Amino acid sequence: MSNVLEVRNLKTSFFTGGGVVKAVDDVSFSVAKGETLGLVGESGCGKSVTAMSITGLVSPPGRVVGGQILLNGRDLLRASEVEMRNVRGSQISMIFQEPMTALNPVLQVGFQIAEAVMAHENVSSKEAWNRAVESMKAVSIPDPEKRARDYPHNLSGGMRQRIMIAMALVCRPTLLIADEPTTALDVTIQAQILELLDSLRRQYSLSMILISHDLGVIAEVAENVAVMYAGKIVEIGPAMDVFHNAKHPYTQGLLQSIPKLGSSRERKVRLDAIEGMVPNLMHLPAGCAFAPRCHKHTPECSVSEIPLSPVTAVQEVRCIHA
């Protein structure tokens, strides 16, 4: 299966008055056609900055300082700003976690989707409007002709997220990046949105990167998963292998901290937690960044940088105790 996206040794830093923040530090992964990669980790571990780097949306004081981002073999880091504007929307689309801030409150939602078509394709406004209505229908919005004339505040949170998905898919991109697409929604609506994304992925053979701190969300729809910590990937492999046989202490900690249904009341047990705090990215500890919080920590962990190494035929882990 050919890779639609290949990220190689990506490095994105923020140059602040206090020092350099290595938000994404030597990250590599690939996404095959029609496949979903889940990107997981705590807030601030570099997931969203990775997505922004791929789409060319990192703004000062941040910038991509190294690596390659190959979309169908073409290095996006060599593309000009004008070329990247053409790539965004037509080849790569992004769904953000809070649709209310991403949608224009004073424009009809149908017009906002139609605008995306007109920005990338040479079509009439009537044709663009029809495509917008069609796209709304594809994401299961009832009565799309009528709903297209609504404003964002007329719609529920789940509806607004469907509008964002319709806008992302209206130009038939090859890669869809969904950054915490279900965070602001209640559980039933979350399940519907995930199901929708998964069925659209299959229908259009989309490649997808799903960013979330919720392991349940990732387990639901992703074939592969990359776990990030302090700007690096600490474990990567097929989702089922990683979730059933996690090798990195951080991944194990994340999985153990998920509440178990019915167990806590009966056994009155406290939820597991990973001790300590995420390190300051300006002052990372030597060696493994997770070492200060790790129960397997030995002196060798803090000597030098630990590479991502294969532990099985399909799993790679950044840990000397794996």
Side-chain angles (χ1 to χ4, degrees):
M1 203 184 284
S2 62
N3 288 330
V4 165
L5 178 76
E6 277 190 61
V7 174
R8 297 178 186 165
N9 312 106
L10 178 65
K11 295 181 180 185
T12 303
S13 298
F14 287 78
F15 297 86
T16 70
V20 178
V21 178
K22 293 180 176 179
V24 177
D25 190 10
D26 201 20
V27 161
S28 299
F29 59 82
S30 59
V31 187
K33 186 174 172 60
E35 183 184 271
T36 301
L37 171 79
L39 214 49
V40 294
E42 289 168 272
S43 297
C45 69
K47 306 183 301 287
S48 293
V49 179
T50 301
M52 294 297 198
S53 303
I54 294 167
T55 49
L57 290 173
V58 176
S59 44
R63 69 170 188 268
V64 178
V65 293
Q68 287 181 305
I69 298 167
L70 303 173
L71 182 70
N72 294 317
R74 175 190 179 194
D75 191 354
L76 298 182
L77 295 181
R78 294 175 179 274
S80 68
E81 184 45 49
V82 174
E83 287 171 324
M84 273 313 289
R85 268 205 297 272
N86 289 330
V87 167
R88 277 194 298 271
S90 65
Q91 293 172 52
I92 301 179
S93 275
M94 195 156 171
I95 303 166
F96 297 95
Q97 55 181 299
E98 188 32 86
M100 207 52 195
T101 55
L103 290 167
N104 190 325
V106 298
L107 294 176
Q108 294 173 336
V109 291
F111 178 77
Q112 295 189 55
I113 301 170
E115 238 183 358
V117 180
M118 290 166 75
H120 295 287
E121 295 176 33
N122 191 11
V123 294
S124 68
S125 52
K126 187 176 189 307
E127 164 69 7
W129 181 269
N130 292 341
R131 287 267 298 276
V133 172
E134 219 174 278
S135 193
M136 287 171 69
K137 193 176 176 183
V139 298
S140 310
I141 289 178
D143 200 358
E145 290 86 353
K146 182 174 174 290
R147 286 297 196 181
R149 301 193 182 281
D150 280 342
Y151 293 89
H153 66 267
N154 300 133
L155 304 170
S156 66
M159 275 301 188
R160 287 196 289 265
Q161 196 57 288
R162 284 172 190 268
I163 293 293
M164 290 300 298
I165 296 169
M167 196 184 293
L169 296 182
V170 72
C171 292
R172 297 279 178 272
T174 49
L175 176 70
L176 180 65
I177 301 174
D179 187 0
E180 303 268 12
T182 59
T183 298
L185 307 172
D186 69 52
V187 179
T188 351
I189 307 294
Q190 275 190 21
Q192 289 173 13
I193 295 291
L194 284 177
E195 213 170 287
L196 173 67
L197 282 171
D198 203 38
S199 71
L200 291 167
R201 173 186 68 84
R202 286 196 300 269
Q203 193 180 335
Y204 300 124
S205 290
L206 274 172
S207 300
M208 193 158 83
I209 296 175
L210 181 60
I211 296 171
S212 183
H213 60 266
D214 185 333
L215 298 174
V217 165
I218 297 295
E220 195 79 21
V221 293
E223 285 92 353
N224 295 310
V225 64
V227 181
M228 286 188 78
Y229 185 79
K232 291 183 184 291
I233 288 177
V234 294
E235 183 157 6
I236 189 166
M240 285 306 113
D241 293 75
V242 171
F243 290 149
H244 289 302
N245 191 15
K247 301 288 188 188
H248 197 283
Y250 177 60
T251 316
Q252 292 167 354
L254 286 179
L255 290 164
Q256 280 159 7
S257 62
I258 298 171
K260 311 289 184 292
L261 272 179
S263 62
S264 53
R265 194 181 301 154
E266 290 155 26
R267 294 184 295 157
K268 293 189 168 53
V269 290
R270 290 186 62 162
L271 280 178
D272 283 314
I274 301 173
E275 298 296 326
M277 296 287 289
V278 180
N280 181 335
L281 294 181
M282 272 190 248
H283 308 292
L284 285 169
C288 173
F290 186 63
R293 304 173 73 185
C294 183
H295 63 281
K296 290 184 178 176
H297 178 207
T298 57
E300 307 92 87
C301 298
S302 304
V303 175
S304 60
E305 184 142 331
I306 292 158
L308 198 59
S309 311
V311 283
T312 69
V314 287
Q315 236 169 311
E316 289 182 274
V317 179
R318 194 182 292 278
C319 178
I320 55 176
H321 300 297

